[in-house]
Each structure stands twice: as structure tokens, then as C-alpha cells.
């Protein structure tokens, strides 16, 4: 007799306030762990220099986004800092069924909505070391004007209040330390018994 073990993929939700460096942590995880597939969201915002359609996002217009809403094509969706973003349901389902782990990099509104509806997920909230550090980061990355930065900081204060809704939290002060903490979470979660489906085969 032999045992065949099928492993089920995990849905990893990484979220947190704007400017905490979650994008960098997500990239490092994708670069280092081939068991993960990145869920490429759709967005109505314009591509930034260097961003590739179908890799970073599917860049779509409002009409296409509305069509997807009507067709109930989103696992979750949210308007973030004035632009619309959504996670395509079909893509995530297909990847999970194929045994891949799927990584979602989504904002806290989208994360909370998923955590209310789904049972099987792993959620990680990325925190800045402090609000003053977050302010400095938002200024130094130089992508937003001062009014927008203050808006993001106000949002961050509210978003942090929901931290207990997530299963894990990582403070991103030292990037290497934060990444190793994220890897520890992921590695432990991969070994959950619920992800293993053993089948005993007759010889
Ligand atoms: P950016 O436009 O800077 O790439 O992303 C802005 C914010 O939108 C980030 O917090 C990012 O995590 C979030 N985001 C990206 N894709 C999605 C998505 O499909 N759904 C939700 N709710 N947020 C998303």
C-alpha cells in the first residue's frame, strides 16, 4: 500500500497601511518561494513607469471594471486612495485548486471584507515601527503631495485599530527581520494538517 498526499494551497492575505513597505515584503516572498503565485489585481489607475500590464496589475478602464462588478467577478474589491482595485475570483480559485499558495497584496478594506466572508485564509498585517517613521517614509518615497500624505496617515491610524482582526502582525522596521518573521509564519502555516489530504492506495 502507498500513500499519496495532496496538498491544498493557502490564501495568504498581506495588508497594512500605505507606506509600511508591504510591497517590498511581497516581492521578496514571491522571489524566494516558488510555491506562491501572486494574485494579479485589476485596477483603474494608470500604470506607473516600469509597471507591466498582466504582471503588476491588469490595467483596465472604468467600463471594464463596472462589467466585472456586474458579473460578480471579484473575490473582493475596494476604492483605495481614489482608484478602484479588485481581486479576480476565477484566477484565485484556479490557482488554489492547482495546489499553489496564493498571495494577495490588498488594502485593509479588502482584507477585512475577505476575512468576514472566508474561513480558510492566513492574514498578516504589516505595521510601521511608528507613525513618525510612516510619515517620513511617505515623504521620502515622494509619490504623494502633503495633503494626500496626511490623508494616508489618518487612514493608517484607523486601519491599525483593526489589527486584532488579523491572525498575525509583523513590524517592518528592519526589512530582513520583518521578512524572516513573515517566512516563519508562512512556513508554519504550510504544515497545517488541514492542508494535507492523504489517500491510501492499493498496490
Ligand atoms: P498601488 O496603487 O500603490 O499599487 O496600491 C495601492 C493600494 O491598493 C495598496 O494598499 C495595495 O495593497 C492595494 N491593492 C492592490 N490591489 C488590490 C486589490 O485587488 N484589492 C484591494 N482591496 N486593494 C488592492
Amino acid at each position: 500500500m502507498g500513500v499519496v498526499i495532496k496538498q491544498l494551497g493557502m490564501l495568504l492575505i498581506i495588508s497594512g497601511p500605505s507606506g509600511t513597505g508591504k510591497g517590498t515584503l511581497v516581492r521578496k516572498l514571491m522571489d524566494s518561494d516558488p510555491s506562491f503565485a501572486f494574485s494579479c489585481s485589476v485596477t483603474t489607475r494608470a500604470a506607473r513607469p516600469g509597471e507591466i500590464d498582466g504582471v503588476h496589475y491588469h490595467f483596465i478602464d472604468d467600463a471594464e471594471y463596472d462589467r466585472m462588478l456586474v458579473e460578480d467577478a471579484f473575490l473582493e474589491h475596494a476604492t483605495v486612495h481614489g482608484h478602484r482595485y479588485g481581486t479576480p475570483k476565477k484566477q484565485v480559485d484556479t490557482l488554489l485548486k492547482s495546489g499553489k499558495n496564493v498571495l494577495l497584496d490588498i488594502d485593509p478594506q479588502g482584507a477585512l471584507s475577505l476575512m468576514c466572508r472566508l474561513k480558510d485564509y492566513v492574514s498578516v498585517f504589516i505595521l510601521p515601527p511608528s507613525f513618525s517613521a510612516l510619515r517620513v517614509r511617505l515623504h521620502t518615497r515622494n509619490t504623494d503631495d502633503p495633503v494626500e500624505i496626511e490623508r494616508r496617515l489618518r487612514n493608517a491610524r484607523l486601519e491599525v485599530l483593526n489589527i486584532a482582526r488579523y491572525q498575525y502582525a509583523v513590524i517592518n522596521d528592519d526589512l530582513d527581520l520583518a521578512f524572516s518573521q513573515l517566512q516563519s509564519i508562512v512556513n508554519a502555516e504550510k504544515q497545517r494538517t488541514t492542508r494535507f489530504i492523504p489517500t491510501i492506495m492499493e498496490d
Side-chain angles (χ1 to χ4, degrees):
M1 284 208 289
V3 182
V4 175
I5 297 176
K6 189 174 170 241
Q7 256 182 288
L8 298 175
M10 82 172 91
L11 183 67
L12 175 62
I13 301 170
I14 297 197
S15 195
S18 176
T20 50
K22 70 184 147 83
T24 309
L25 288 166
V26 163
R27 268 194 303 281
K28 276 174 87 70
L29 187 58
M30 288 305 304
D31 289 346
S32 63
D33 189 337
S35 74
F36 273 94
F38 180 67
S39 162
C40 183
S41 296
V42 304
T43 182
T44 58
R45 80 153 165 75
R48 297 185 185 125
E51 284 184 331
I52 302 164
D53 189 28
V55 175
H56 298 95
Y57 285 103
H58 297 288
F59 295 98
I60 62 174
D61 59 17
D62 279 302
E64 174 74 359
Y65 190 97
D66 288 338
R67 191 187 58 72
M68 290 183 77
L69 273 179
V70 169
E71 289 177 356
D72 193 25
F74 292 129
L75 189 59
E76 64 72 41
H77 59 88
T79 298
V80 187
H81 313 307
H83 299 291
R84 304 204 284 172
Y85 297 83
T87 303
K89 205 187 277 185
K90 212 158 84 190
Q91 173 187 285
V92 171
D93 283 351
T94 311
L95 287 166
L96 285 175
K97 282 197 185 113
S98 75
K100 276 276 183 194
N101 295 313
V102 179
L103 201 167
L104 303 187
D105 168 356
I106 59 178
D107 89 303
Q109 303 169 70
L112 289 176
S113 110
L114 274 187
M115 295 185 314
C116 286
R117 284 179 292 119
L118 302 184
K119 280 209 298 271
D120 189 14
Y121 59 81
V122 178
S123 58
V124 184
F125 192 79
I126 310 296
L127 280 161
S130 66
F131 280 99
S132 50
L134 187 60
R135 175 175 278 115
V136 170
R137 278 194 206 171
L138 287 170
H139 278 284
T140 42
R141 77 178 185 181
N142 215 14
T143 46
D144 304 295
D145 62 47
V147 175
E148 179 59 27
I149 289 175
E150 287 311 310
R151 194 163 75 96
R152 288 183 186 219
L153 284 166
R154 274 197 307 278
N155 280 346
R157 283 180 195 280
L158 298 176
E159 286 161 357
V160 168
L161 294 179
N162 282 317
I163 191 164
R165 304 280 299 277
Y166 296 76
Q167 295 158 328
Y168 298 96
V170 167
I171 298 175
N172 187 13
D173 188 4
D174 173 318
L175 180 63
D176 289 337
L177 176 62
F179 184 58
S180 83
Q181 288 168 341
L182 180 60
Q183 279 181 309
S184 304
I185 294 165
V186 164
N187 288 337
E189 285 289 342
K190 280 182 183 174
Q191 304 315 125
R192 274 194 189 277
T193 50
T194 47
R195 296 197 203 293
F196 293 82
I197 306 180
T199 314
I200 298 179
M201 315 281 283
E202 294 291 340
D203 282 332

